[in-house]
Amino acid sequence: MDIIPTNDGSDSVFSNQYNASYHSKFGAIEESITIFISSGLYYNYLKGKRKLHIFEMGFGTGLNAFLTAIEAERLQIDIDYTAVELHPLPEELSIQLNYPKTLGFSDLFNRIHQSTWGETQKISEYFKLNKRHIGIEDMEHSTPYDLIYYDAFAPSTQADLWLDSVHVPLFHNLKDNGNLVTYCAQGKFKRMLKAIGYTLESLPGPSHKKEIIRATKTA
Protein backbone atom coordinates (compact mmCIF):
# COMPACT_ATOMS: atom_id res chain seq x y z
CA MET A 1 0.00 0.00 0.00
CA ASP A 2 1.20 3.51 -0.83
CA ILE A 3 -0.03 6.95 0.21
CA ILE A 4 -0.96 9.05 -2.83
CA PRO A 5 -2.13 12.67 -3.15
CA THR A 6 -5.53 13.63 -4.56
CA ASN A 7 -6.54 16.84 -6.30
CA ASP A 8 -8.07 18.54 -3.26
CA GLY A 9 -4.78 18.15 -1.39
CA SER A 10 -5.91 15.27 0.81
CA ASP A 11 -4.23 11.88 0.89
CA SER A 12 -5.53 8.55 -0.27
CA VAL A 13 -4.03 5.08 -0.32
CA PHE A 14 -3.38 2.89 -3.34
CA SER A 15 -3.80 -0.85 -2.82
CA ASN A 16 -1.40 -2.87 -4.91
CA GLN A 17 -3.34 -6.00 -3.94
CA TYR A 18 -6.52 -4.70 -5.61
CA ASN A 19 -4.85 -2.27 -8.04
CA ALA A 20 -7.23 0.42 -6.84
CA SER A 21 -7.27 3.66 -4.88
CA TYR A 22 -9.29 4.02 -1.69
CA HIS A 23 -10.71 7.36 -2.89
CA SER A 24 -11.30 9.41 -5.99
CA LYS A 25 -8.13 10.91 -7.40
CA PHE A 26 -10.06 14.17 -7.71
CA GLY A 27 -10.33 14.60 -3.94
CA ALA A 28 -10.56 12.18 -1.01
CA ILE A 29 -12.08 14.62 1.48
CA GLU A 30 -14.43 16.13 -1.11
CA GLU A 31 -15.67 12.68 -2.07
CA SER A 32 -16.28 11.59 1.51
CA ILE A 33 -18.10 14.80 2.47
CA THR A 34 -20.33 14.74 -0.62
CA ILE A 35 -21.35 11.08 -0.44
CA PHE A 36 -21.36 10.16 3.22
CA ILE A 37 -21.52 13.34 5.29
CA SER A 38 -23.81 15.57 3.21
CA SER A 39 -26.01 12.88 1.63
CA GLY A 40 -26.06 10.58 4.66
CA LEU A 41 -25.25 12.13 8.03
CA TYR A 42 -26.60 15.62 7.35
CA TYR A 43 -29.67 14.25 5.60
CA ASN A 44 -30.58 12.38 8.79
CA TYR A 45 -29.67 15.30 11.04
CA LEU A 46 -31.97 17.61 9.08
CA LYS A 47 -34.78 15.10 9.56
CA GLY A 48 -34.40 15.66 13.29
CA LYS A 49 -32.36 12.62 14.29
CA ARG A 50 -30.00 13.30 17.19
CA LYS A 51 -28.87 9.74 17.82
CA LEU A 52 -27.61 7.53 15.02
CA HIS A 53 -26.19 4.05 14.65
CA ILE A 54 -24.01 4.07 11.54
CA PHE A 55 -22.53 1.02 9.83
CA GLU A 56 -19.61 1.40 7.45
CA MET A 57 -18.51 -1.22 4.98
CA GLY A 58 -14.83 -0.52 4.38
CA PHE A 59 -13.13 1.37 7.23
CA GLY A 60 -10.11 1.93 4.97
CA THR A 61 -8.19 5.07 5.87
CA GLY A 62 -10.71 5.99 8.56
CA LEU A 63 -11.64 9.20 6.72
CA ASN A 64 -15.40 8.61 6.82
CA ALA A 65 -15.26 7.79 10.53
CA PHE A 66 -13.05 10.82 11.21
CA LEU A 67 -15.34 13.25 9.41
CA THR A 68 -18.37 11.72 11.13
CA ALA A 69 -16.72 12.08 14.55
CA ILE A 70 -15.93 15.74 13.83
CA GLU A 71 -19.55 16.42 12.89
CA ALA A 72 -20.86 14.50 15.91
CA GLU A 73 -18.96 16.90 18.18
CA ARG A 74 -19.92 19.98 16.20
CA LEU A 75 -23.62 19.10 15.97
CA GLN A 76 -23.74 17.45 19.40
CA ILE A 77 -25.42 14.28 18.20
CA ASP A 78 -24.75 10.81 19.63
CA ILE A 79 -23.26 8.41 17.10
CA ASP A 80 -22.52 4.71 17.54
CA TYR A 81 -20.29 3.76 14.63
CA THR A 82 -19.58 0.19 13.55
CA ALA A 83 -17.14 -0.52 10.72
CA VAL A 84 -15.80 -3.70 9.14
CA GLU A 85 -12.46 -3.96 7.41
CA LEU A 86 -10.84 -7.20 6.31
CA HIS A 87 -7.50 -5.58 5.51
CA PRO A 88 -6.75 -2.80 8.05
CA LEU A 89 -4.05 -0.30 7.19
CA PRO A 90 -0.86 -0.68 9.22
CA GLU A 91 -0.83 1.98 11.94
CA GLU A 92 2.54 3.25 10.74
CA LEU A 93 0.86 4.07 7.42
CA SER A 94 -2.40 5.50 8.77
CA ILE A 95 -0.62 7.99 11.05
CA GLN A 96 1.09 9.49 8.00
CA LEU A 97 -2.21 10.50 6.36
CA ASN A 98 -2.60 14.28 6.21
CA TYR A 99 -6.26 14.48 7.28
CA PRO A 100 -5.57 16.04 10.71
CA LYS A 101 -3.19 18.54 9.12
CA THR A 102 -5.97 19.54 6.73
CA LEU A 103 -8.96 19.36 9.08
CA GLY A 104 -7.48 19.70 12.55
CA PHE A 105 -8.70 17.44 15.39
CA SER A 106 -5.44 15.47 15.49
CA ASP A 107 -6.26 13.95 18.90
CA LEU A 108 -9.59 12.68 17.58
CA PHE A 109 -7.91 11.20 14.50
CA ASN A 110 -5.29 9.43 16.63
CA ARG A 111 -7.89 8.00 19.02
CA ILE A 112 -9.83 6.58 16.09
CA HIS A 113 -6.79 4.83 14.66
CA GLN A 114 -5.38 3.71 17.99
CA SER A 115 -8.67 2.27 19.24
CA THR A 116 -8.71 -1.49 19.78
CA TRP A 117 -10.23 -3.64 17.05
CA GLY A 118 -13.25 -5.66 18.14
CA GLU A 119 -14.22 -3.48 21.10
CA THR A 120 -16.69 -0.63 21.36
CA GLN A 121 -14.76 2.38 22.63
CA LYS A 122 -15.79 5.92 23.49
CA ILE A 123 -13.67 8.10 21.22
CA SER A 124 -15.23 11.39 22.30
CA GLU A 125 -18.27 12.69 24.17
CA TYR A 126 -20.56 12.05 21.19
CA PHE A 127 -18.79 9.31 19.21
CA LYS A 128 -18.44 5.60 19.98
CA LEU A 129 -16.55 3.31 17.62
CA ASN A 130 -16.39 -0.44 17.07
CA LYS A 131 -13.93 -1.48 14.36
CA ARG A 132 -14.34 -5.12 13.31
CA HIS A 133 -11.44 -6.94 11.64
CA ILE A 134 -13.65 -9.31 9.65
CA GLY A 135 -15.25 -9.63 6.24
CA ILE A 136 -18.78 -8.32 5.89
CA GLU A 137 -20.06 -11.82 5.12
CA ASP A 138 -18.97 -12.83 8.65
CA MET A 139 -20.58 -9.81 10.33
CA GLU A 140 -23.47 -10.64 12.66
CA HIS A 141 -25.79 -7.65 12.51
CA SER A 142 -27.66 -7.10 15.75
CA THR A 143 -28.52 -3.51 16.67
CA PRO A 144 -30.51 -1.92 13.80
CA TYR A 145 -28.76 0.77 11.78
CA ASP A 146 -30.05 4.23 10.94
CA LEU A 147 -27.50 4.75 8.17
CA ILE A 148 -25.13 2.63 6.11
CA TYR A 149 -21.99 4.01 4.49
CA TYR A 150 -21.22 1.52 1.72
CA ASP A 151 -17.64 2.22 0.68
CA ALA A 152 -16.20 -1.02 -0.68
CA PHE A 153 -13.97 -1.15 -3.74
CA ALA A 154 -15.87 -0.94 -7.02
CA PRO A 155 -17.83 -3.91 -8.44
CA SER A 156 -15.16 -4.30 -11.11
CA THR A 157 -12.62 -4.94 -8.34
CA GLN A 158 -14.63 -6.77 -5.66
CA ALA A 159 -17.80 -8.02 -7.33
CA ASP A 160 -18.74 -10.25 -4.38
CA LEU A 161 -19.32 -7.21 -2.15
CA TRP A 162 -22.09 -5.90 -4.42
CA LEU A 163 -24.32 -8.99 -4.44
CA ASP A 164 -27.74 -9.44 -2.86
CA SER A 165 -26.24 -12.04 -0.51
CA VAL A 166 -24.44 -9.13 1.19
CA HIS A 167 -27.14 -6.49 0.83
CA VAL A 168 -30.25 -8.41 1.87
CA PRO A 169 -28.98 -8.86 5.47
CA LEU A 170 -28.03 -5.16 5.58
CA PHE A 171 -31.49 -4.18 4.36
CA HIS A 172 -33.18 -6.31 7.01
CA ASN A 173 -31.02 -4.78 9.74
CA LEU A 174 -31.77 -1.21 8.64
CA LYS A 175 -34.47 0.69 10.52
CA ASP A 176 -37.60 1.77 8.66
CA ASN A 177 -36.78 4.98 6.76
CA GLY A 178 -33.08 4.25 7.23
CA ASN A 179 -30.64 4.96 4.41
CA LEU A 180 -27.73 3.47 2.54
CA VAL A 181 -25.39 5.89 0.73
CA THR A 182 -22.73 4.89 -1.77
CA TYR A 183 -20.73 6.21 -4.70
CA CYS A 184 -21.76 3.27 -6.89
CA ALA A 185 -24.47 4.10 -9.43
CA GLN A 186 -24.01 1.04 -11.63
CA GLY A 187 -27.27 -0.01 -13.29
CA LYS A 188 -27.04 -3.62 -12.18
CA PHE A 189 -26.47 -2.58 -8.59
CA LYS A 190 -29.37 -0.13 -8.62
CA ARG A 191 -31.71 -2.79 -10.00
CA MET A 192 -30.63 -5.16 -7.24
CA LEU A 193 -31.29 -2.54 -4.53
CA LYS A 194 -34.77 -1.90 -5.94
CA ALA A 195 -35.49 -5.65 -6.03
CA ILE A 196 -34.51 -5.94 -2.36
CA GLY A 197 -37.02 -3.22 -1.48
CA TYR A 198 -35.17 0.08 -1.42
CA THR A 199 -36.44 3.36 -2.86
CA LEU A 200 -33.59 5.03 -4.74
CA GLU A 201 -32.52 8.63 -5.25
CA SER A 202 -29.82 9.65 -7.71
CA LEU A 203 -27.90 12.61 -6.28
CA PRO A 204 -25.13 14.78 -7.75
CA GLY A 205 -21.72 13.31 -7.07
CA PRO A 206 -18.38 14.92 -6.21
CA SER A 207 -15.98 16.21 -8.88
CA HIS A 208 -16.03 14.15 -12.09
CA LYS A 209 -18.74 11.85 -10.68
CA LYS A 210 -22.14 12.35 -12.30
CA GLU A 211 -24.27 10.67 -9.66
CA ILE A 212 -24.29 8.85 -6.37
CA ILE A 213 -27.05 6.82 -4.72
CA ARG A 214 -29.08 7.20 -1.57
CA ALA A 215 -31.29 4.18 -0.94
CA THR A 216 -34.10 4.33 1.62
CA LYS A 217 -35.91 1.49 3.35
CA THR A 218 -39.41 2.93 3.20
CA ALA A 219 -41.77 1.94 6.00
Side-chain angles (χ1 to χ4, degrees):
M1 297 183 183
D2 300 300
I3 294 177
I4 59 172
T6 66
N7 287 2
D8 69 358
S10 57
D11 287 339
S12 185
V13 169
F14 187 85
S15 170
N16 296 297
Q17 177 181 0
Y18 291 103
N19 193 33
S21 172
Y22 279 54
H23 307 95
S24 167
K25 66 180 181 180
F26 299 107
I29 288 177
E30 181 200 6
E31 179 185 49
S32 184
I33 288 175
T34 301
I35 300 170
F36 303 106
I37 305 304
S38 296
S39 302
L41 177 60
Y42 261 85
Y43 178 74
N44 280 268
Y45 175 76
L46 292 174
K47 290 196 297 183
K49 294 185 179 180
R50 297 297 181 266
K51 186 171 184 179
L52 295 171
H53 187 186
I54 297 176
F55 175 77
E56 180 183 19
M57 169 55 216
F59 181 76
T61 64
L63 178 56
N64 295 333
F66 182 41
L67 288 168
T68 301
I70 291 172
E71 293 305 313
E73 297 303 302
R74 194 175 72 83
L75 300 172
Q76 297 186 356
I77 55 177
D78 292 317
I79 293 179
D80 288 337
Y81 196 101
T82 303
V84 294
E85 177 58 64
L86 189 58
H87 303 292
L89 293 185
E91 186 176 336
E92 60 270 22
L93 185 68
S94 64
I95 61 174
Q96 297 179 49
L97 295 165
N98 70 354
Y99 306 144
K101 293 179 182 178
T102 303
L103 300 168
F105 302 94
S106 58
D107 288 345
L108 188 61
F109 179 81
N110 291 334
R111 287 197 295 272
I112 286 171
H113 280 282
Q114 291 168 6
S115 63
T116 303
W117 288 83
E119 296 181 8
T120 298
Q121 296 187 287
K122 189 172 183 178
I123 303 300
S124 66
E125 181 177 358
Y126 294 98
F127 188 79
K128 293 179 182 178
L129 175 64
N130 187 345
K131 301 182 299 187
R132 304 293 304 279
H133 183 188
I134 57 175
I136 192 170
E137 65 277 5
D138 297 318
M139 178 69 185
E140 294 184 5
H141 306 288
S142 54
T143 306
Y145 309 126
D146 298 279
L147 176 60
I148 296 170
Y149 294 169
Y150 206 82
D151 200 17
F153 285 125
S156 58
T157 301
Q158 286 187 300
D160 56 322
L161 297 180
W162 302 89
L163 301 175
D164 56 5
S165 58
V166 170
H167 286 273
V168 167
L170 287 176
F171 177 82
H172 288 309
N173 203 67
L174 192 63
K175 295 179 183 178
D176 287 344
N177 297 312
N179 311 111
L180 177 149
V181 286
T182 183
Y183 65 88
C184 182
Q186 183 192 72
K188 180 180 178 181
F189 178 61
K190 290 194 289 185
R191 289 190 292 273
M192 184 264 289
L193 291 180
K194 288 180 180 179
I196 290 173
Y198 282 108
T199 299
L200 301 190
E201 298 171 81
S202 294
L203 306 174
S207 294
H208 295 81
K209 176 70 174 169
K210 183 178 179 181
E211 65 174 319
I212 60 173
I213 295 301
R214 180 168 61 221
T216 301
K217 181 180 179 180
T218 51

